[in-house]
Amino acid sequence: MFREHSTPLLVDIDGYRNVTELLKRRAEDAPQHVAFEVPEKSGDLSAPWQPISTQDFLAEVSELAKGFIAAGVKVGDAVAIMSETRYEWAVVDLAAWFAGAVVVPIYDTASPAQVAAIIRDADVQIAVGGSPDQIDVLRQAVRETDMDVLGVWAMSAGTTGLNDPTIKDLAARATEVSDDELEQRRLAAGPDSPATIVYTSGTTGDPKGAVLTHRNFIGQVLNIAAAYGDVVHPGGNTIIFLPLAHVLARGLQLICIASGMRIAHLADPTKVVATLKVLTPTFLVVVPRVLQKVQEAASQKAADMGLSALWRAACLTAIEWGKQREEVDSGSAQLPSLGLRIRHSFFDRLFFRKLRAVLGGRVDYILSGGATLDADLSLFFRGIGVPVIEGYGLTETTAPLTGNLPGSIRSGTVGAPLPGLSVRISDDGEVLAKGIGVFEGYRDPKHDIGAFVDGYFRTGDLGVLDTDGRLTLNGRLKDVIVTANGKTVVPTVWENAVAAHPLISDAVMIGEGRPYLSAILLLDPEVITAWAGTAGVKSQIFDTTSFDEIKDSRLLEELQCAVDTANALVARSEQVRRFAPVAATPGDNTLTTPTMKIKRRIVLERGAHVVDNLYR
């Protein structure tokens, strides 16, 4: 077994002082190049999108930075941003850095208690909010903390009351600050100065403030851009719809700014498909659930047309073609058989080209992160002509730690360490990380206790390295279950397998100290309603308010097939004996993190009565 793998840096970052250099140098090299696209009419995504050049973006950033300085923001002050994903988020983010401040992103779904705790812990001096609700939460949090804050500012006019201040009002004070003073502020932070404090949402426990430096960001941005030059380039464009409070989306934004790739922001992920046809991106970053939904929607459409049998054959063909493409990557491929070529050509005309059109027709690559991607799902998209690059990282590693590369994709793995990074596997199988993107510690030193070993950060994830240095993840260390019989079980393989069923959005295996394994199956509210209509089942049985077990016999029979399939993939001691399906409330985001990872503790707390029934 291979225990460690490192990848050398591709780009020397010594000439960069801080993150602001990324924008300044890009503006010098290509001032008129389009950096962003924003909808001309708010809410009308089908209308033309307005281009914003790098030079114009820099001008907006500089004006707002001067406004921050005029308002009293000092070097090292914390600036909080709480908003959905939108263009103004990028302006505020860079403007705070130009003013010498430290950015504290807050998830737009955070509770008032969480926001108050973050503002107090980070010693926030000024806050910017997006929607009226977010601004109210920020103001409430400021009142609760009794902190002398320089105000809560709205991102746009009309967001709150007519007299409430906006960042436009801040920018109007730019004349009070000279260009020389702004330049001094811009250069105040050095490579090892804090750039941001990101409070990890986590799947369990309280948030912890990870302090990421300018060196972390610069090293990641420049080296990832160099490694993925075929993906991120001036001729490409992307849509960011993941939360910008998450370091993955924020890191992507900086990579695109530095590389000249156009960015469009989308606050509502449910509108992504419609927007793809308008903006026709060349690259997307998604979580695996998005890809599952695309595949499920295609499957349902085929069923509506009476083509289910052909669709199943098309999926198998796509997976087989994807495997053949991966063999080409590895240099060990034979020519695809005549039969495979004929089948692929037929299904390409029937299904695959239509799926590519749904994605906008120009997508060269999709990056999947945030959760484990099923290998067959990755192969399916490779087979339809849209390769999926799976990567892995954490807030504490400034997003990507490992990643597959174009021309070297291996489904089922999250790739090798990216340039400037090292991965080691501990004796317990835990993934350890070290390198350019790995942070030095949390804001509260007590959170550092046990977080590092031999200079490596303990990720809490289990994994193995292959002979090429590619990492395969095997679940979370803290999720390991020890049954009453003393059997140690890692639930991830079984949970991912059963969650591949279209009706199931997530699965939580149970069994700590119990005589056998059981599971709660969380059903997708939208998909289950559609299934009920097709199966002739009254949708009233799907109570989405009480978190109670659903006991419809036809549904249980359908789900038993998924459980049997998952059980067949694992050892007998790892098989689930009983399960309980539960329908989540539509739009309920309390059960998942912003990157759609299941919050196991919350599920088990809300479903305690369901668990009791499973062992009764």
Side-chain angles (χ1 to χ4, degrees):
M1 180 185 296
F2 287 80
R3 304 304 295 270
E4 186 168 353
H5 190 84
S6 302
T7 304
L9 284 170
L10 289 178
V11 179
D12 182 3
I13 67 169
D14 287 343
Y16 289 77
R17 180 160 181 79
N18 59 45
V19 174
T20 66
E21 293 287 315
L22 300 173
L23 174 56
K24 286 284 286 186
R25 296 192 186 197
R26 180 61 193 168
E28 291 169 1
D29 292 341
Q32 299 305 321
H33 189 83
V34 176
F36 294 91
E37 294 173 299
V38 297
E40 289 186 357
K41 297 180 181 178
S42 178
D44 186 1
L45 302 178
S46 62
W49 286 57
Q50 175 185 352
I52 296 177
S53 70
T54 308
Q55 180 175 271
D56 289 340
F57 176 64
L58 174 59
E60 282 191 67
V61 166
S62 300
E63 282 198 346
L64 182 55
K66 288 182 176 181
F68 278 137
I69 296 169
V73 173
K74 298 180 176 60
V75 173
D77 279 355
V79 176
I81 307 175
M82 184 181 184
S83 170
E84 68 282 358
T85 297
R86 54 192 286 186
Y87 169 70
E88 291 82 2
W89 215 114
V91 175
V92 176
D93 196 18
L94 270 294
W97 279 328
F98 268 62
V102 178
V103 178
V104 180
I106 302 176
Y107 286 107
D108 59 327
T109 55
S111 68
Q114 289 172 322
V115 176
I118 290 172
I119 285 179
R120 183 183 294 107
D121 187 75
D123 193 20
V124 167
Q125 295 302 304
I126 193 168
V128 178
S131 71
D133 288 344
Q134 292 151 8
I135 292 167
D136 286 344
V137 168
L138 285 168
R139 285 180 175 154
Q140 178 184 337
V142 169
R143 287 195 297 269
E144 289 179 6
T145 56
D146 289 328
M147 296 180 67
D148 185 18
V149 175
L150 299 171
V152 176
W153 303 75
M155 283 192 173
S156 55
T159 303
T160 56
L162 293 176
N163 297 321
D164 287 334
T166 68
I167 56 172
K168 187 175 181 180
D169 297 320
L170 273 178
R173 299 185 61 179
T175 54
E176 301 175 31
V177 178
S178 68
D179 291 342
D180 288 343
E181 184 177 356
L182 175 62
E183 186 66 2
Q184 289 176 1
R185 282 296 195 92
R186 185 183 74 80
L187 297 174
D192 297 312
S193 301
T196 189
I197 306 171
V198 182
Y199 286 82
T200 59
S201 57
T203 54
T204 60
D206 296 326
K208 296 180 289 188
V211 181
L212 304 178
T213 66
H214 286 274
R215 185 186 302 277
N216 291 144
F217 272 116
I218 294 169
Q220 288 285 68
V221 167
L222 295 179
N223 282 278
I224 291 171
Y228 290 93
D230 292 340
V231 179
V232 184
H233 51 80
N237 65 304
T238 190
I239 302 172
I240 296 179
F241 53 90
L242 295 178
L244 277 170
H246 193 279
V247 73
L248 174 60
R250 204 143 151 244
L252 169 65
Q253 181 164 264
L254 287 172
I255 292 170
C256 291
I257 289 172
S259 304
M261 191 164 186
R262 296 197 319 277
I263 302 170
H265 297 96
L266 195 61
D268 186 355
T270 64
K271 297 180 179 179
V272 170
V273 174
T275 311
L276 292 175
K277 298 176 182 178
V278 178
L279 295 175
T280 61
T282 60
F283 173 58
L284 289 173
V285 175
V286 303
V287 292
R289 188 60 182 151
V290 172
L291 299 179
Q292 290 174 351
K293 283 186 171 291
V294 170
Q295 189 187 52
E296 289 164 7
S299 176
Q300 184 60 50
K301 190 169 184 179
D304 294 341
M305 298 172 65
L307 300 175
S308 290
L310 278 173
W311 172 252
R312 287 192 293 271
C315 289
L316 292 174
T317 298
I319 291 171
E320 188 178 352
W321 189 266
K323 289 179 180 177
Q324 201 277 336
R325 294 291 90 190
E326 288 196 354
E327 290 175 2
V328 171
D329 286 351
S330 66
S332 61
Q334 303 293 323
L335 287 174
S337 67
L338 178 61
L340 176 59
R341 293 201 302 272
I342 292 173
R343 280 186 285 121
H344 187 269
S345 177
F346 171 72
F347 288 126
D348 189 72
R349 291 193 300 272
L350 186 62
F351 294 121
F352 302 161
R353 65 177 58 176
K354 295 176 183 177
L355 264 178
R356 293 195 298 273
V358 167
L359 295 171
R362 294 178 66 236
V363 174
D364 296 321
Y365 294 96
I366 292 176
L367 173 65
S368 175
T372 302
L373 175 67
D374 179 72
D376 280 352
L377 186 60
S378 174
L379 289 168
F380 168 81
F381 275 90
R382 181 74 183 269
I384 72 168
V386 185
V388 178
I389 299 170
E390 189 174 6
Y392 159 72
L394 304 92
T395 297
E396 293 87 347
T397 62
T398 321
L401 171 63
T402 68
N404 284 287
L405 297 172
S408 182
I409 297 174
R410 181 62 61 183
S411 297
T413 81
V414 292
L418 291 169
L421 294 162
S422 300
V423 166
R424 176 185 291 179
I425 307 299
S426 74
D427 293 339
D428 295 329
E430 184 179 9
V431 179
L432 309 178
K434 186 177 182 180
I436 192 70
V438 180
F439 81 144
E440 293 185 357
Y442 297 101
R443 179 170 171 81
D444 187 340
K446 74 180 182 184
H447 290 143
D448 291 337
I449 299 173
F452 296 87
V453 58
D454 297 332
Y456 282 76
F457 172 65
R458 299 182 59 192
T459 68
D461 290 308
L462 296 169
V464 294
L465 291 170
D466 66 15
T467 55
D468 295 318
R470 291 191 180 96
L471 176 66
T472 299
L473 296 174
N474 294 324
R476 294 286 290 169
L477 186 62
K478 62 187 175 185
D479 293 339
V480 170
I481 295 169
V482 180
T483 67
N485 302 319
K487 297 291 185 181
T488 300
V489 179
V490 179
T492 309
V493 173
W494 187 92
E495 289 174 343
N496 289 341
V498 80
H501 191 283
L503 296 180
I504 303 170
S505 60
D506 285 290
V508 175
M509 183 187 284
I510 306 154
E512 183 67 31
R514 304 279 191 169
Y516 56 85
L517 297 172
S518 63
I520 290 178
L521 306 182
L522 288 165
L523 308 184
D524 187 308
E526 296 178 3
V527 177
I528 199 67
T529 301
W531 175 86
T534 303
V537 176
K538 292 183 179 179
S539 60
Q540 286 85 344
I541 67 169
F542 306 123
D543 182 1
T544 61
T545 58
S546 63
F547 213 78
D548 285 334
E549 179 180 357
I550 302 170
K551 297 183 178 180
D552 178 76
S553 59
R554 279 171 291 184
L555 175 65
L556 293 174
E557 183 179 351
E558 176 79 17
L559 297 178
Q560 185 66 57
C561 294
V563 171
D564 291 343
T565 299
N567 279 344
L569 297 175
V570 297
R572 186 175 181 84
S573 61
E574 299 172 329
Q575 294 177 355
V576 164
R577 188 181 301 180
R578 299 187 65 186
F579 66 90
V582 173
T585 304
D588 182 5
N589 56 25
T590 62
L591 299 178
T592 57
T593 69
T595 52
M596 302 178 75
K597 294 178 184 174
I598 194 70
K599 294 181 179 178
R600 306 174 71 89
R601 179 175 60 84
I602 303 299
V603 170
L604 295 178
E605 285 177 358
R606 288 182 58 183
H609 59 296
V610 177
V611 176
D612 288 342
N613 287 336
L614 288 170
Y615 291 96
R616 184 166 293 169

